[in-house]
Amino acid sequence: MAGRRALRSGSPVVPLLPRRAFLAGLTLATLTTGAASACGRSSPVGREAAGPGSLSVGAIPDQDPEVLQRLYGTVADSLSAALDLDVAYTPVTDYGAAVSLFRTGDLDLVWFGGLTGVQARLQTPGATTIAQRDVDADFHSVFVVQSATGLAASDDLRPLAGLRFTYGAETSTSGRLMPAWFLQQAGVDPQGFPGGPAFSGSHDATLQLVASGSYQAGVLNEQVWAARTAEGAVDPSVVAYARTPGYPDYHWLLGPRAADLAGPLRDFFTGLRADDPADAAVLDLFGAGSFVPARASDYDRIEQIGRELGLVT
Amino acid sequence: MTALLARPAAAVPRLRRDRRRWAWGLAALAAVCWSATGALDGVNPAGAAQFGAFAAAALSPALDGAFLGVLATAALVTVAYAVLGTALAVLLGALGAVAAARSTWGRRRLGRLATRGVLAVPRGLHEAVWGLLLVNVLGLDPWVGVLAIGLPYGAVTATVFGALLDEVPRGPYEALRAAGAGRLAAALYGLLPRAAGGLLSYACYRLECAVRSAVVLGLVGAGGLGYQLSLSFGSLRWPQVWSAVYALALLCLAADVAGRAVRRRLAAPRRRAGVLSRDRVLTAAVLGTLVAGAWSWWFLALSPASLVSARAREQAGFVLRAAWPPSADGDLLRSVAAAAVVTVQTSVLAVVLAAVGAVLVAGVAARPAGRCSPLRRLAGVLVRLGLLLLRAVPAPVWALVLLFVLLPGVLPGAVALGVYTLGVLGRLAAEAVEEADAGPRAALTALGAHPAGGWLYGVAPLVAGPVLAYALYRWEVTVRDTLLVGLLGAGGLGALLASELAAFDWPAVATVLTATVVLTLAVDLVGDRARRALR
């Protein structure tokens, strides 16, 4: 039909679609879209809960995402039962994203490392430090070396200066900031390894890269090192070299949107008891004996070191 | 991209030596040698075990129900991003085409140059960088994915649409104008119908590319398949990474096959008894795309209001105030210059690796024209599948696993990008072989030439030009891609950008991004000149 019409009008090009079908399709599409927008469907990528009485929980991806999913699934259920809130866990892909999403208000309550927590707090007016684990006031990192280097465990960090070296994530407190600081204190340029230091992105990747020999030395979170050693997951060619002195690390930070929950949340975390089976499950997943209240000033030292190393601006 | 449409027609052979080409050839050789000096780092055989763990997992991808369910939802998000991103790109392209067309400006070269400069900014930044910036403004919002694809693609589309409009014969337009029609009406009725085929074909090609881009976006946290991939990648769960890679490869394959079928039908409209007839497949494709667009909008629950919400304005204000003025610190500028050198070296090596590889596999990867043995057919299928997997594994994943077996430096990044680009270039080279004139080779074979000789003297000279042109075009793309692999020990502007972003040093981020845009523009210009010398 349309073909004949087109021929009559002398056009050499047949329209791709009959006009009526096109218009009908367009109307249908518009109507469906309109109807869909009207029913207020929640997006598969946006935040799930946004109303009052809801809390979105996040964490820096310092561990296996599946472990995190399980860990924060448990925390979310427990929080939701205790405070009568809709609690949803949102995984993020990197440390910087956790900070950005805390600033934009997509994440209300985030388990930050020392440095990322400082970054997030400085960028987000009204953020409150809630609690830390009993182990966080005195946290440690472990320098590891490839056994082929022939280095024996020592407290002297200077021999590391000549090795190909990898940190963990760029803004990891235990995998970057504090090790870099202790290296600097020992007289080693923290940016000066042969070819420059690498950033593996995670504690597990650091272990793999040192095991492969592409990097001869690296540094990671002591908790992860202990856990992987206990699992027998560490390649025998990776050996511990030195343990850093203690420093404050992880903590819970609450965003301004949910500021009125600061008190209840602090009570919830510090009230977790190891002798209660449900609480013990949460504490166990965090590798903690208990949570203790934390203040912003606990992280002043981290902030100062961050400024000195150019990681806090 | 223009290269795809404007395939060099069978050129009249010129039998004299072109001085210009010699100059370009020597310059290219020098550039390759210089880049290679940056990559004398060597290999690390001891890391074979770690690389083996990655490779072995290819045969045992994670197949548990829960994870596959997660992947399926993620794949839908990726498709929705690709469809809406392309739709936005086509819309922007259609609007921008008028400004980008040579004929709009006529002799006013300044205006055209200005437009070209404006369009260079969005396309000079990688989709993933757009994604990162948009996440900082919009947070977790589906618009991030749609805009991160739509903005840079829109700029490229505007350039190509403009070129297509320029190529349409202007007779009908002039006639309509002379008959008193307004400019708009004359363009709509005199220019648009003739250009429609090319425009649709290009839009289709963009959709194919958008699927791959949507995946990369996930790597920066915007959701979809790449997001799941990067979550598994972060903890080095290789079986899960491979499941995501296979899902990706399937999506890319579907997009490739569908896109090719539609483009082929557009290029050669069907005729029944000498009369052009409506193609039901094309009608279905257009209707299907419209429905897919509506579905994507519904599925992502896009809300235009969130683009202008108070939060978006506040965050955009925060980022812009923090980033202005860009840092002009001497130390930073020096590291930017050093990083730019590494980026250029990485990209040159990557493209050379990819081009050499593409030439080597093109013969086998091309679908043979006539009948051939089942063995040859099987080899062809295997090579094509291999190339598909090479381009389905995102470059950052290649960079990390190659770092197990290569010592840190320029080399791991260059090989990672080279392997990925080989996946793309290999397919283009195979298509060039398929489309090359079969005559010379047939003649040589009939005269008793060995198959290899027939290929070397009958096919290779014909496809060398197009393959080199594609390689030069991919060079610009690779420069942008180096931003992605810079996250590891691979260095370059990407590493610098990652560390400035990690420290939230916005003025420095602005400087690095400016340097990236300028570098991309420069490489684009050089590549363009070199391609012209090849024609």
Side-chain angles (χ1 to χ4, degrees), chain A residues 2 12 17 33 36 41 43-44 64-66 91 93 100 103-104 106 119 123 170-171 202 208 211-212 214-215 313, chain B residues 44 47 50 136 139-140 227 230-231 234-237 240 276 283 297-301 311 315 403-404 408 499 502 504:
Chain A
L17 277 175
T33 315
R41 187 178 177 280
S43 169
D64 190 327
E66 271 193 18
T93 46
S100 300
R103 191 189 66 232
T104 56
D106 285 283
Q119 288 183 327
Q123 291 181 23
E170 206 122 10
T171 45
S202 73
Q208 295 270 330
S212 77
S214 287
Y215 289 91
T313 46
Chain B
N44 170 34
Q50 276 75 22
N136 269 293
L140 278 183
Y227 183 56
S230 83
L231 287 180
S235 56
L236 312 182
R237 292 192 166 239
Q240 291 188 357
L276 280 171
T283 312
W297 186 282
W298 169 80
F299 182 68
L300 292 177
R311 180 180 87 160
Q315 296 295 336
L403 208 49
F404 289 140
S499 73
F504 291 94

Side-chain angles (χ1 to χ4, degrees), chain A residues 24-304:
Chain A
L26 207 62
T27 321
L28 188 75
T30 323
L31 283 180
T32 340
T33 315
S37 312
C39 72
R41 187 178 177 280
S42 78
S43 169
V45 284
R47 55 179 304 172
E48 284 174 25
S54 73
L55 192 71
S56 72
V57 180
I60 50 167
D62 63 331
Q63 284 191 57
D64 190 327
E66 271 193 18
V67 174
L68 288 177
Q69 192 88 45
R70 211 170 54 230
L71 178 68
Y72 291 95
T74 314
V75 174
D77 291 346
S78 176
L79 260 177
S80 169
L83 301 181
D84 191 24
L85 289 171
D86 278 337
V87 184
Y89 168 65
T90 311
V92 296
T93 46
D94 63 65
Y95 286 46
V99 175
S100 300
L101 293 178
F102 184 77
R103 191 189 66 232
T104 56
D106 285 283
L107 299 176
D108 297 318
L109 178 67
V110 181
W111 181 240
F112 276 118
L115 175 61
T116 39
V118 167
Q119 288 183 327
R121 185 158 44 80
L122 293 179
Q123 291 181 23
T124 319
T128 331
T129 312
I130 299 291
Q132 58 174 209
R133 296 172 300 186
D134 50 357
V135 292
D136 288 319
D138 186 32
F139 208 80
H140 300 266
S141 304
V142 174
F143 286 94
V144 294
V145 292
Q146 168 49 248
S147 55
T149 56
L151 288 176
S154 154
D155 281 336
D156 183 10
L157 297 181
R158 278 172 300 176
L160 297 176
L163 302 178
R164 292 190 298 274
F165 187 89
T166 178
Y167 293 109
E170 206 122 10
T171 45
S172 164
T173 307
S174 54
R176 162 79 188 280
L177 180 80
M178 294 314 291
W181 167 254
F182 291 121
L183 282 167
Q184 200 176 50
Q185 296 301 301
V188 178
D189 177 5
Q191 292 293 322
F193 300 95
F199 298 98
S200 71
S202 73
H203 300 297
D204 286 307
T206 302
L207 280 177
Q208 295 270 330
L209 284 171
V210 176
S212 77
S214 287
Y215 289 91
Q216 298 161 300
V219 63
L220 72 156
N221 179 323
E222 188 184 42
Q223 242 192 349
V224 174
W225 169 252
R228 296 294 172 273
T229 312
E231 288 164 20
V234 178
D235 192 288
S237 66
V238 183
V239 292
Y241 177 74
R243 180 181 192 239
T244 64
Y247 52 85
D249 203 344
Y250 296 87
H251 56 285
W252 285 108
L253 196 65
L254 184 70
R257 204 182 66 93
D260 50 334
L261 289 173
L265 280 170
R266 195 172 284 132
D267 293 343
F268 167 79
F269 282 112
T270 53
L272 292 173
R273 292 280 166 264
D275 45 16
D276 179 301
D279 291 0
V282 175
L283 288 172
D284 204 37
L285 283 167
F286 272 94
S290 66
F291 278 93
V292 294
R295 285 160 303 150
S297 59
D298 292 342
Y299 295 89
D300 284 352
R301 180 159 165 245
I302 296 284
E303 180 178 342
Q304 179 207 339

